């Protein structure tokens, strides 16, 4: 059977690949995308989960990147108010610290005025002796600056871009590895293999997009036979999750004596997320895991600020990911550029676009710039459209979250408040479709632990390419924090018994 020809074939189901696929299909291109694992299972789910301008990037004079990121904060918030929301960050100041007060004030002034802020509150100064934000910190921090950025459920941002791309007509292939790509008569011939069944398919496309993140150089070498010079600098970032260290919805921005910074962020109601580290990485990115040195670093750095020290015994979960930064020759990992670089190779009039670097906050603009290069190579279609679009479930006002929760509880009175809040945070208005017809808790199906039930698992398998328990408990939800090993095993058996119900 001959597969249809595509205009664009995207390799990589992280945020950049899914963002490019969504933008392209929305303009009228015929698009296919293949991801060798689960969507967002690499770098894109291992972030600090912020939609932010990158305050510290100002020190490296990356004004273009910071301005673009600042402008994107409210654009993305409007696109997906269920999985993105504003957060205030408290930056404690100590006289004689790493950065003088005037420099911080200057940075925050630029932060407030570079990016067209309209809804996010401006920076202000806090008296930590009176403000509740000072309570969990050591008393030596009497002053702080408070500024605005945003929070995002990173893995869900990826899968919702994939979902929307599919809904608009793109062919989205999960757990499908690209085995080879070759140029033939002005077209790409792409052979892929289903990682679950071993079945192979062959596609043709006018243009190939290599958005494989940390594997971008590896894809060039192994699937295309190119002896590419190393163009990606792999930098590992690790995070720890501990039992809640403070009350409230504000996060903290801590400056360390080595000029690095870490965040301490409210996480999943009962926890605090602390990270990240920055260190060069060698090896296969899939094997990235936190090191004892990184654990010690994060605990020690946080303990410099918190009155109650953070120890390794407090840790309930860790995660690590490798960021594929463009190799600009920076001497230190934390100094390497976070900006993205798009390079076109049009050998034999068969174009290839390689995507290097990037960050969650700028993924939509990266996709727009990628589409500009695609249009130059194979002809333009449509016009920019994503800035005013909504991701699935995000069709409500940016300040309408509580109203959606109230509506969901009114429609399904048996739901507990915390459960309803989590469902709206994850699925937005799609939660109503998920629960359609449910009149009692029994209608939610099998109970797996936490507040995870069969109806939600079934939904994720049918609508969001979830195939394994890990997909559900760590990427589509964070119920892994609340499920026991035995409960996860039961979930794995349940999902394995329902292969025919999966969309992939």
């Amino acid at each position: 059977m001959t597969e249809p020809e595509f205009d664009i074939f995207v390799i990589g189901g992280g945020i950049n690949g899914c963002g490019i696929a969504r933008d392209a299909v929305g303009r009228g291109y015929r698009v296919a995308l293949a991801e060798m694992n689960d969507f967002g299972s690499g770098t894109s789910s291992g972030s600090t989960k912020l939609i932010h301008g990158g305050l510290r990037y100002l020190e490296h004079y990356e004004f273009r990147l910071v301005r673009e990121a600042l402008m994107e904060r409210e654009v993305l918030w409007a696109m997906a108010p269920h999985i993105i929301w504003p957060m205030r960050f408290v930056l404690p100041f100590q006289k004689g610290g790493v950065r003088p007060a005037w420099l911080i004030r200057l940075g925050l002034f630029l932060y407030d005025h570079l990016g067209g802020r309209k809804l996010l509150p401006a920076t202000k100064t806090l008296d930590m002796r009176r403000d509740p934000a000072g309570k969990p910190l050591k008393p030596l921090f009497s002053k702080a600056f408070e500024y605005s950025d945003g929070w995002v459920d990173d893995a869900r941002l990826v899968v919702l871009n994939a979902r929307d791309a599919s809904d608009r007509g793109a062919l989205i292939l999960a757990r499908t590895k690209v085995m080879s790509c070759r140029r033939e008569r002005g077209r790409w011939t792409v052979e892929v293999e289903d990682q679950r069944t071993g079945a192979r398919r062959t596609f043709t496309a006018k243009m190939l997009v290599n958005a494989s993140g940390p594997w971008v150089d590896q894809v060039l070498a192994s699937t295309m036979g190119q002896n590419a010079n190393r163009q990606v600098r792999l930098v590992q970032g690790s995070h720890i999750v501990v039992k809640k260290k403070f009350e409230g919805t504000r996060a903290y921005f801590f400056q360390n004596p080595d000029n690095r910074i870490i965040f301490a962020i409210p996480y999943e109601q009962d926890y605090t997320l602390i990270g990240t580290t920055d260190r060069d990485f060698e090896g296969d990115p899939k094997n990235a895991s936190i090191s004892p040195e990184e654990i010690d670093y994060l605990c020690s750095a946080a303990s410099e600020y918190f009155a109650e020290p953070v120890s390794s015994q407090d840790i309930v979960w860790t995660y690590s990911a490798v960021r594929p930064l463009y190799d600009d020759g920076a001497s230190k990992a934390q100094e390497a550029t976070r900006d993205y670089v798009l390079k076109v190779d049009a050998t034999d009039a068969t174009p290839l676009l390689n995507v290097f670097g990037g960050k969650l906050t700028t993924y939509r603009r990266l996709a727009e710039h990628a589409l500009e290069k695609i249009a130059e190579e194979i002809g333009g279609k449509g016009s920019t459209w994503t800035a005013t679009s909504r991701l699935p479930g995000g069709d409500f006002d940016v300040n309408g979250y509580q109203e959606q929760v109230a509506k969901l509880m009114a429609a399904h009175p048996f739901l507990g408040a915390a459960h309803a809040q989590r469902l709206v945070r994850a699925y937005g208005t799609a939660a109503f479709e998920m629960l359609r017809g449910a009149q009692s808790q029994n209608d939610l199906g099998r109970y797996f632990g936490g507040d995870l039930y069969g109806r939600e698992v079934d939904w994720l398998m049918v609508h969001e390419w979830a195939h394994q328990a890990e997909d559900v408990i760590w990427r589509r939800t964070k119920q892994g924090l609340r499920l026991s090993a035995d409960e996860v095993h039961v979930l794995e058996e349940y999902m394995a018994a329902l292969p025919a119900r999966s969309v992939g």
Side-chain angles (χ1 to χ4, degrees):
M1 174 179 159
T2 303
E3 301 284 359
E5 180 180 271
F6 292 93
D7 295 314
I8 303 163
F9 195 102
V10 181
I11 304 174
I15 190 57
N16 290 336
C18 291
I20 290 169
R22 175 180 183 252
D23 193 335
V25 73
R27 299 188 194 210
Y29 289 101
R30 293 165 296 172
V31 180
L33 178 148
E35 161 56 43
M36 65 179 177
N37 298 308
D38 183 28
F39 297 111
S41 57
T43 305
S44 297
S45 61
S47 75
T48 312
K49 310 184 191 310
L50 300 180
I51 296 295
H52 68 139
L55 182 59
R56 68 189 177 101
Y57 305 152
L58 290 172
E59 291 184 317
H60 303 298
Y61 309 110
E62 297 204 55
F63 296 111
R64 190 213 66 79
L65 172 64
V66 174
R67 175 173 166 76
E68 183 174 84
L70 287 170
M71 293 178 72
E72 281 297 284
R73 293 177 304 175
E74 294 190 13
V75 173
L76 298 182
W77 178 20
M79 279 175 58
H82 48 329
I83 61 167
I84 296 173
W85 59 92
M87 186 173 279
R88 294 289 278 174
F89 288 77
V90 176
L91 198 169
F93 173 75
Q94 181 183 10
K95 199 167 185 178
V98 178
R99 295 166 180 86
W102 69 265
L103 182 62
I104 296 173
R105 286 196 190 96
L106 175 61
L108 289 171
F109 176 83
L110 291 172
Y111 214 68
D112 273 352
H113 295 90
L114 267 179
R117 177 182 54 83
K118 296 178 181 177
L119 298 177
L120 294 171
T123 298
K124 68 178 183 178
T125 303
L126 303 179
D127 181 347
M128 298 293 269
R129 294 164 297 190
R130 299 180 180 179
D131 194 282
K135 185 176 181 181
L137 303 185
K138 292 178 178 178
L140 55 91
F141 300 104
S142 60
K143 179 180 179 180
F145 302 97
E146 183 183 274
Y147 69 94
S148 293
D149 263 327
W151 167 264
V152 62
D153 186 328
D154 52 5
R156 292 208 55 74
L157 182 65
V158 177
V159 79
L160 291 180
N161 272 271
R163 176 71 271 161
D164 199 47
S166 177
D167 290 345
R168 294 174 185 274
L171 175 64
I172 304 295
L173 303 170
R175 288 188 164 80
T176 301
K177 186 175 182 179
V178 174
M179 306 303 292
S180 68
C181 305
R182 58 187 183 274
R183 289 175 161 109
E184 294 181 336
R185 297 183 296 278
R187 293 288 187 272
W188 283 100
T189 297
V190 183
E191 186 176 15
V192 306
E193 181 180 271
D194 188 311
Q195 298 298 281
R196 297 154 298 169
T197 66
R200 291 206 174 198
R201 301 169 71 179
T202 301
F203 301 94
T204 57
K206 295 178 182 177
M207 187 164 183
L208 194 66
V209 175
N210 179 10
S212 49
W215 293 273
V216 64
D217 285 341
Q218 184 179 322
V219 166
L220 284 170
S222 63
T223 68
M224 302 177 200
Q226 297 186 14
N227 294 318
N229 295 325
R230 174 176 152 170
Q231 300 175 82
V232 169
R233 181 172 187 166
L234 301 181
V235 175
Q236 177 171 321
S238 296
H239 299 76
I240 59 175
V241 176
V242 301
K243 295 169 186 173
K244 190 193 299 188
K245 296 293 293 183
F246 54 89
E247 297 296 329
T249 60
R250 290 182 289 184
Y252 291 92
F253 178 120
F254 294 152
Q255 306 177 84
N256 304 327
D258 61 1
N259 281 322
R260 289 193 279 178
I261 60 99
I262 64 168
F263 294 96
I265 304 170
Y267 191 65
E268 296 294 315
Q269 289 79 52
D270 302 317
Y271 306 94
T272 299
L273 172 65
I274 299 173
T276 183
T277 58
D278 275 303
R279 68 172 192 169
D280 285 312
F281 179 85
E282 299 289 341
D284 192 330
K286 73 179 181 182
N287 297 325
S289 62
I290 195 167
S291 67
E293 293 78 18
E294 287 177 301
I295 290 175
D296 289 344
Y297 176 82
L298 292 174
C299 289
S300 175
S303 297
E304 289 293 316
Y305 285 82
F306 285 121
E308 179 186 306
V310 177
S311 74
S312 57
Q313 284 71 41
D314 299 326
I315 297 173
V316 297
W317 183 48
T318 69
Y319 66 89
S320 299
V322 175
R323 286 166 289 198
L325 307 181
Y326 184 69
D327 194 350
D328 61 354
S331 59
K332 296 180 181 178
Q334 63 265 29
E335 294 175 358
T337 181
R338 265 56 176 177
D339 210 344
Y340 53 84
V341 175
L342 307 175
K343 289 190 173 183
V344 173
D345 171 5
T347 303
D348 297 331
T350 312
L352 161 67
L353 174 63
N354 291 305
V355 180
F356 302 99
K359 56 199 291 268
L360 283 173
T361 309
T362 54
Y363 91 91
R364 192 196 66 82
R365 292 290 286 135
L366 182 153
E368 287 187 336
H369 289 138
L371 265 294
E372 290 173 6
K373 293 189 176 294
I374 288 169
E376 291 172 2
E377 298 299 327
I378 63 172
K381 289 192 177 187
S383 57
T384 57
W385 64 279
T386 57
T388 56
S389 67
R390 299 296 182 102
L391 285 171
D395 51 335
F396 61 93
D397 185 78
V398 292
N399 293 311
Y401 166 71
Q402 293 295 346
E403 180 183 356
Q404 294 300 316
V405 172
K407 286 181 178 179
L408 190 67
M409 293 183 70
H412 305 282
F414 58 88
L415 284 178
H419 192 185
Q421 289 165 4
R422 183 182 71 79
L423 291 178
V424 174
R425 272 292 177 226
Y427 308 104
T429 56
F432 294 88
E433 184 180 348
M434 178 193 295
L435 297 180
R436 183 177 294 146
Q439 298 179 359
S440 70
Q441 195 162 348
N442 289 336
D443 292 329
L444 296 182
R446 186 165 183 173
Y447 176 63
F448 295 105
D451 58 16
L452 185 65
Y453 291 84
R455 181 176 284 243
E456 183 176 359
V457 174
D458 293 352
W459 169 274
L460 292 171
M461 293 182 72
V462 171
H463 296 279
E464 294 194 6
W465 297 275
H467 294 286
Q468 299 173 3
E470 181 183 0
D471 305 343
V472 171
I473 66 173
W474 291 121
R475 286 184 285 278
R476 308 304 187 277
T477 77
K478 292 297 181 288
Q479 289 296 291
L481 291 166
R482 295 181 166 85
L483 267 63
S484 69
D486 287 344
E487 288 170 332
V488 173
H489 179 69
V490 170
L491 174 61
E492 195 74 76
E493 288 185 332
Y494 175 86
M495 295 178 69
L498 300 171
R501 303 179 71 176
S502 173
V503 297

